[in-house]
C-alpha cells in the first residue's frame, strides 16, 4: 500500500510493478485522484505496459469526468480498454469516456452510488455501497 502523490509517483517511476505485470503474477494498481499522477501515467514505460495489456495487470483509476477525458496519453490508453464504472453519469456526455452509449432514461431513480458498469459492448446498471 502506497499513499500520497509523491510516494505513488516514485513507485510508478521505480518500475518495481513492471516485473509483477510481466512474469505471470497478478498485480492490481488502484490509483485514486489519478489526475495528480498524470505525468507518471504518461511515462513511456508505463504506457508500453498499458498498451501491451498484460493479463496479470489490472489498473483501476479513479478520476473526475473532465480529467478522464483529458489529452494525457495514460488516460487515453486506459479508456481504450473500454472497461469502467461511470458513477452518477451525465447520460448525454459521459458515455463517450468509454465509447459507451448510455440510455437516456432509466426505470430506476438516480441515486448516490448508482451508475453504469461498462465492459466493452456490455452495459449494466449497478449500485455500489456508500
Amino acid at each position: 500500500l502506497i499513499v500520497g502523490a509523491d510516494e505513488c509517483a516514485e513507485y510508478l517511476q521505480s518500475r518495481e510493478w513492471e516485473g509483477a505485470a510481466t512474469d505471470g503474477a497478478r498485480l492490481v494498481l488502484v490509483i485514486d485522484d489519478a489526475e495528480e499522477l498524470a505525468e507518471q501515467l504518461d511515462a513511456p514505460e508505463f504506457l508500453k505496459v498499458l498498451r501491451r495489456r498484460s493479463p496479470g495487470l489490472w489498473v483501476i483509476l479513479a478520476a473526475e469526468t473532465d480529467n478522464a477525458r483529458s489529452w494525457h496519453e495514460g488516460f487515453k490508453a486506459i479508456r481504450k480498454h473500454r472497461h469502467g464504472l461511470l458513477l452518477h453519469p451525465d447520460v448525454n456526455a459521459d458515455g463517450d469516456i468509454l465509447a459507451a452509449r448510455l440510455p437516456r432514461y432509466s426505470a430506476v431513480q438516480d441515486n448516490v452510488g448508482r451508475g453504469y458498469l461498462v465492459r466493452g459492448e456490455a452495459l449494466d446498471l449497478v449500485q455500489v455501497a456508500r
Side-chain angles (χ1 to χ4, degrees):
L1 175 66
I2 299 164
V3 178
D6 292 338
E7 291 82 358
C8 290
E10 186 177 312
Y11 178 73
L12 289 175
Q13 289 171 349
S14 74
R15 298 175 62 182
E16 292 176 37
W17 51 270
E18 192 172 12
T22 57
D23 68 3
R26 299 218 183 263
L27 175 70
V28 178
L29 289 176
V30 179
I31 303 172
D32 194 9
D33 298 325
E35 57 276 357
E36 293 181 24
L37 295 169
E39 288 180 29
Q40 287 74 28
L41 298 176
D42 284 350
E45 307 82 32
F46 193 73
L47 288 172
K48 185 168 67 172
V49 172
L50 285 178
R51 290 176 178 143
R52 190 171 49 224
R53 294 181 137 180
S54 301
L57 176 64
W58 285 73
V59 179
I60 301 171
L61 296 182
E64 295 291 326
T65 304
D66 291 338
N67 294 314
R69 280 194 185 94
S70 79
W71 54 268
H72 286 282
E73 291 299 316
F75 286 111
K76 289 194 312 193
I78 294 285
R79 289 193 316 257
K80 204 175 261 190
H81 292 276
R82 298 188 63 209
H83 286 75
L85 178 62
L86 301 171
L87 290 176
H88 193 64
D90 175 346
V91 296
N92 295 315
D94 291 347
D96 70 331
I97 294 171
L98 299 172
R101 188 172 181 160
L102 301 180
R104 298 259 183 226
Y105 303 101
S106 175
V108 295
Q109 181 181 356
D110 190 23
N111 203 349
V112 173
R114 188 160 293 148
Y116 291 95
L117 178 63
V118 180
R119 293 171 292 171
E121 299 292 323
L123 182 72
D124 294 304
L125 182 64
V126 297
Q127 174 72 46
V128 295
R130 293 188 212 197

